Amino acid sequence: MADHDSQSAAGGALAPSVPDGSPRTAGGFRIHEEVGRGGMGVVYRAEEIASGRIVALKSISPGFACTPDALQRFHREARLTASISHPNCVFVYGAHEIDGAPVIAMEWMEGGTLEDRMRTGEPVPIATAVRWMLDVLEGLEAAHQLGVVHRDIKPSNCFLTAEGRVKVGDFGLSRSLEADVRLTQTGQFLGSPLYAPAEQIRGDAVDGRSDIYSCGATLYALLTGKPPFPGSDLGRVISRILTEDPAPPRQFRPEIPGALEQVVLRSLQRDRAKRHPDAESLRAALLPFAGEVDVTGTLPRRLGAYVVDVCLVAIASNLTMSAFYGAAVENWLAIPVWTQAAVGLVPIGYFAALEGWRGSSLGKWLFRLRVVPVGPGPGLLARASLRAVVFQLPSLLSLYPLTVLVQDVSVRGWAALAAMIAIWAFNVSTMRRRNGWRGPHELLSRTRVVQLPEAIRRARQTAPAPETHAQPAAGVPERIGAYRVLGLVGAAQDGSVLHARDERLDRSVWIHLRDGAPPAGELRRTLIRPTRLRWLEELRTGDLRGDVFESAGGCSLLDSSARGVRFEWPRVERALSSLAEELAHCEPEAGGPQSFSPGQVWLDRNGNMRLIDRSLIAVDGSELDAVGLLGATARVLLTGGQPGFELPAELPLNAEPLVRSLTGSAPPFASLDALRSALAASRSTPATVERRTRLAQLAASTGPSLLLLGAMILGTLVISGMLPSLMEVNTVLRELRRDQVAGEHPGQAPRPLDEDGQRARQMLLSYELSHARGPSIDASLRPEDRPVCAEAQRTFPDVSEADYTGALQRIRAERGENPLGSRDVFQQPGFLVIVFCAVVVFMWCVFALVTAWIWPGGLSFRLLGLSLRSRRGHRVRRWLGFVRSAAIGLPLFAGYFAAGNMYEKGLRVPAWSLFGLVSLAFLVGMGFSLLQPSRGPIDRVLRTRIVPR
């Protein structure tokens, strides 16, 4: 035994048992077994004798204990790990010495490590792997906020709890952001090169993005069962990391979604500037893959996504057609049917490629929809291709009868409308709520459309109140054991609570000095829920007896109320949910319902909710049940303790019944379970307006109009050449039909046409009808005009360009004026652009005003599940929604209309200046709306706020 102890002291390692096999007792611990060994540390499972809790003891490996650098690194790890108090980081109970060797007592993790899980050889479910990585990122973000880079994220340093959650541990290589040490005295690389980024291997400075690489490599390993660059040759592995790109994960596991693969590969970029910028960004990118998505995409969202996709496909098809036939094509129906069929393949390629690769077309991406496979079968690419073919095949089959068999243009138009209705009826014929609204193309391809959860936007951090330890601690020594007393937190029910500093771990603690009260029981000592303070140790120094807890920091709910600190709804919802779950645990532990005091609710230094033990606060006589405590907490957090209560302007509509019941303006909840269910339902719906949702709303609102405007501008060249001809043809037809001229101008005798004048007009008609614009002119003819045109074509079947020019000059000379009076201005593309903008905006205004009267905010708000609130939290009424839509559209239309008038009057520079200013204001407003999704420029003027429904 003596020989073993001397070895432990010299080598820094602790033997787990004595020669007879029984656990070894040393330093207040009963050491059972060695459970892990790393580059410089050995971990043992041990029992803390005083408390009875199981801990993980970490000691320095033999060969490192006598190295000053190793000792310094070990102590730094203890302090850094202790400074990060987060539910997703392994908690440090204390620093100790056993046989002269430093050890760290840490939280024991029942579930082992992710490396242990990978060694089983069973594939990790994709959603499970993503959820584990989200837990890692949560803990990592807390470390980064303290300026700590982990530098050694890998599966063996990610620990599983008994509940299946993951915590980050082993901060042995961690450095603050400004630190610079990377090699041991032997020149060996610290950390695992299998999961290390290129800059860390090269010895360059590391930052938070280096941990992002390691997280991506760890997720890669969880998904595929191997690291990005596997191998036993260290030199070869390092060379590949520095020079090669990893193989795509889907090469080893085809069922991995393509979009998830892109997220992982972005994290593994050698250039850190191309990676996700921080842990929150990577977390937001992974969130849609964190669950087995089973929320069926709603029909309004699917319709909105389809409209966006159809507009994009229409533009792509027209551009493809123009590439073959040029911009002079004026009658698309005159193009050969096989060419139209080839262009019809554009939507098939569009949907098959995007939905097979990323699971979402651009429209579905905007509306947070995704195509997912149903049941076993081929990969998503094959299913998406079949889905696209089945969906587009009826449209392609209708091209031949519409283009070849139907010659009459007017009949062709009605036939096209009937075919479109029939195709739509076929596509929705099998859609039922019970089958997830799946159409024939989805049933045949075994796919369905699901709605992704909204990304959780982090609530804006409101600075918590300073730590409550300003009161002097009279009659208390400056030091109690290993703790330096800083001040008095407050009086307790049976003593006092001191704020002190643990100089061994450089962290704050609370010391509950008991005044004759019994110490914390075994249940309290082993309690490790994140909403409760961790019990650290029992203190016995002279006549002083007490319990040491981690320090919550921050301030109590009552102090927060006194300071008027108000929180936004996402943060309140998170705080209430955590507090409700804690209260649900308290009732069974106490054997039934309990009463609570508002002073027990505490906002810690990170803004998280804590429930302080009743014994740590002064008795104030207020008694509330669990539901009442949650209601009082909600009122204080939402109002900052101000008298009266108004609904928050940012409150989602779906959370309004919950808040009203909590705050007393509606019947209260009958039980804590009912309240927890309501909170769970609220958490499953968006709490804020995400930027992508706002982008989708803007796209659904203005996108079709902008796309229509773009198509009209692309056709400006065609229209500017065709419109004057149409005007001239109509004028000639009126002149040739003397009876119509007399009918349109009663009391005015028509001017008779001589034979030359009539011949000139017939030649003009024949020429226009027989050239490129003929089909378009023919489609615009009225029935009474057709005999006149037929007679002109029979009389002059072949009119040359010279004959046409002579006829045109003869008509002008006869009229004594330009027969195309408005031709000059309509031939100018600039004027047409302004006119088109004014027309499209006017159409958009009419539609927006009509829908805004039905749904405040308009149809796009209804499609995206958005609504409006006033600054006092009231739902916006119809008249205010109408005014909001008018304030957006009418100034835009007025500006374009005024610019068009200026242009027509020859004031081209002022016209273009006004047009540019109006367009710039519109674009700036759109950009500002994306930067502030819940409050665009008009919302700031009207003091409204966009909220989820």
Side-chain angles (χ1 to χ4, degrees), residues 128-418:
T128 301
V130 173
R131 285 197 298 269
W132 286 347
M133 187 50 55
L134 291 177
D135 287 342
V136 172
L137 290 169
E138 287 272 6
L140 204 57
E141 187 176 358
H144 288 176
Q145 289 175 352
L146 296 176
V148 176
V149 182
H150 190 284
R151 291 166 35 101
D152 197 22
I153 293 292
K154 56 185 178 182
S156 60
N157 284 342
C158 300
F159 299 87
L160 279 166
T161 67
E163 295 79 20
R165 302 301 298 270
V166 176
K167 297 190 177 187
V168 181
D170 197 354
F171 283 78
L173 297 180
S174 301
R175 295 288 184 275
S176 61
L177 292 178
E178 65 272 10
D180 192 50
V181 179
R182 285 163 202 86
L183 298 176
T184 66
Q185 66 273 20
T186 62
Q188 290 183 326
F189 173 78
L190 289 178
S192 173
L194 294 176
Y195 301 92
E199 66 270 14
Q200 187 173 349
I201 291 176
R202 289 193 301 262
D204 298 338
V206 298
D207 56 21
R209 293 170 296 180
S210 303
D211 283 345
I212 295 300
Y213 177 97
S214 300
C215 287
T218 300
L219 180 56
Y220 186 106
L222 291 174
L223 293 173
T224 66
K226 62 182 70 176
F229 300 99
S232 57
D233 185 339
L234 179 61
R236 174 61 178 160
V237 169
I238 290 177
S239 176
R240 294 182 62 193
I241 292 175
L242 295 175
T243 59
E244 298 180 11
D245 295 328
R250 298 178 72 186
Q251 178 176 324
F252 309 105
R253 193 172 179 181
E255 66 268 24
I256 296 175
L260 176 59
E261 179 183 69
Q262 295 304 310
V263 174
V264 175
L265 292 178
R266 181 183 174 185
S267 302
L268 295 175
Q269 289 287 332
R270 289 194 301 276
D271 183 359
R272 74 179 85 184
K274 296 180 180 179
R275 300 173 197 155
H276 296 276
D278 49 42
E280 183 177 358
S281 175
L282 178 55
R283 182 182 180 280
L286 290 175
L287 187 65
F289 309 97
E292 301 295 339
V293 181
D294 57 359
V295 179
T296 301
T298 61
L299 289 181
R301 281 181 176 259
R302 293 184 65 175
L303 177 61
Y306 177 74
V307 169
V308 172
D309 286 329
V310 164
C311 292
L312 293 174
V313 168
I315 290 180
S317 300
N318 286 335
L319 292 176
T320 304
M321 191 75 76
S322 298
F324 286 101
Y325 288 90
V329 177
E330 296 171 4
N331 187 7
W332 300 110
L333 293 178
I335 296 175
V337 62
W338 298 114
T339 304
Q340 294 191 45
V343 175
L345 296 177
V346 171
I348 293 180
Y350 170 83
F351 286 108
L354 292 182
E355 293 180 354
W357 174 46
R358 300 187 61 87
S360 299
S361 60
L362 293 178
K364 289 184 176 66
W365 177 83
L366 273 178
F367 284 79
R368 284 200 166 275
L369 299 174
R370 174 170 293 159
V371 177
V372 297
V374 176
L380 185 58
L381 179 60
R383 300 193 191 203
S385 300
L386 177 61
R387 170 191 173 93
V389 169
V390 174
F391 186 78
Q392 296 296 328
L393 190 60
S395 299
L396 293 176
L397 294 178
S398 67
L399 284 175
Y400 181 81
L402 287 178
T403 307
V404 178
L405 301 181
V406 182
Q407 297 295 329
D408 188 273
V409 177
S410 60
V411 175
R412 183 183 295 166
W414 286 106
L417 178 61

Side-chain angles (χ1 to χ4, degrees), residues 10 91 198:
F91 187 80

Side-chain angles (χ1 to χ4, degrees), residues 47 81 114 174 200 228 287 301 375 406 411 451 464 478 482 497 531 643 663 698 724 746 794 807 814 816 833 858 939:
E47 178 185 356
T81 308
L114 297 186
S174 301
Q200 187 173 349
L287 187 65
R301 281 181 176 259
V406 182
V411 175
Q451 183 173 328
E478 294 183 0
V497 178
T531 45
T663 55
L698 293 173
R794 284 195 301 270
E814 178 185 323
V833 168
D939 296 301

Side-chain angles (χ1 to χ4, degrees), residues 80 91 100 514 620 790 846 850:
L80 285 175
F91 187 80
R514 304 189 302 268
D620 58 3
V846 172
V850 171

Side-chain angles (χ1 to χ4, degrees), residues 748-864:
Q748 177 181 353
R751 183 171 54 186
L753 296 175
D754 56 19
E755 185 176 352
D756 290 339
Q758 186 172 359
R759 288 167 55 87
R761 285 164 175 76
Q762 288 180 330
M763 292 175 65
L764 185 144
L765 281 177
S766 179
Y767 181 87
E768 294 287 1
L769 290 170
S770 61
H771 283 73
R773 293 180 290 270
S776 298
I777 295 176
D778 182 75
S780 67
L781 293 177
R782 291 175 292 185
E784 58 267 25
D785 294 329
R786 296 189 179 280
V788 179
C789 294
E791 176 65 24
Q793 288 180 302
R794 284 195 301 270
T795 305
F796 301 98
D798 188 13
V799 181
S800 66
E801 181 72 26
D803 293 337
Y804 171 76
T805 303
L808 192 57
Q809 292 175 352
R810 170 74 176 77
I811 295 173
R812 288 180 176 178
E814 178 185 323
R815 291 176 180 167
E817 61 181 9
N818 186 350
L820 306 177
S822 301
R823 179 175 183 139
D824 291 339
V825 68
F826 276 100
Q827 278 187 314
Q828 299 177 17
F831 177 76
L832 289 178
V833 168
I834 297 177
V835 170
F836 291 161
C837 288
V839 170
V840 171
V841 169
F842 177 77
M843 295 169 57
W844 177 82
C845 284
V846 172
F847 179 79
L849 291 175
V850 171
T851 57
W853 187 256
I854 303 174
W855 304 289
L859 179 61
S860 61
F861 273 51
R862 187 70 177 181
L863 291 176
L864 272 299

Side-chain angles (χ1 to χ4, degrees), residues 468-487:
T468 310
H469 63 268
Q471 305 176 46
V476 178
E478 294 183 0
R479 301 188 66 87
I480 301 179
Y483 303 101
R484 180 166 56 90
V485 177
L486 301 178

